[in-house]
Amino acid sequence: QVQLVESGGGLVQAGDSLRLSCAASGLTFSNYGMGWFRQAPGKEREFVAVISRSGGSTSVAVSVKGRFTISRDNAKNTVYLQMNSLKPEDTAVYYCAAGRNGFPPFVTNYWGQGTQVTVSS
């Protein structure tokens, strides 16, 4: 059974940093592209960042470019999202995703449960 477990969310002030982690189990991690998505209250889930199977290729949304960085450790079956210079508009539930196709393109096969990130002004 595939499990993606996010951690690292919380309440921070604008300008602070957070690092989200997503620990994967039940799959061959290095065979999957991994991504982060987010969903704010009343809004649709949106793409944040994606990383290829090897970690050699990444892509981030324009709204977070220069502030967020995605990385992975295949030895630890974990993907990370480093978030710097956080803004109130980054407030959302952040979801980890795994894609069997890799990247590009990224097609989600599995979702995590999500972790809340709240940024106060």
Side-chain angles (χ1 to χ4, degrees):
Q1 181 181 355
V2 175
Q3 282 193 314
L4 302 176
V5 180
E6 301 96 336
S7 61
L11 172 62
V12 297
Q13 293 187 331
D16 285 351
S17 298
L18 275 178
R19 189 176 82 155
L20 304 184
S21 300
C22 170
S25 61
L27 51 72
T28 303
F29 185 70
S30 59
N31 286 353
Y32 283 75
M34 298 297 296
W36 288 96
F37 293 75
R38 68 186 182 185
Q39 188 166 18
K43 295 188 177 181
E44 293 188 354
R45 193 171 297 189
E46 65 175 5
F47 164 78
V48 175
V50 65
I51 189 166
S52 62
R53 295 180 179 103
S54 68
S57 296
T58 63
S59 179
V60 298
V62 171
S63 58
V64 304
K65 198 162 190 174
R67 300 188 297 121
F68 290 14
T69 303
I70 187 171
S71 61
R72 67 188 295 161
D73 186 337
N74 285 349
K76 295 183 178 180
N77 287 5
T78 301
V79 61
Y80 305 97
L81 185 68
Q82 178 67 43
M83 306 186 294
N84 299 329
S85 302
L86 282 160
K87 304 176 181 180
E89 50 263 43
D90 295 319
T91 295
V93 177
Y94 283 71
Y95 296 91
C96 176
R100 195 177 296 121
N101 260 9
F103 155 75
F106 185 82
V107 178
T108 301
N109 295 108
Y110 303 104
W111 290 102
Q113 299 275 19
T115 185
Q116 176 71 46
V117 172
T118 303
V119 185
S120 64
S121 57

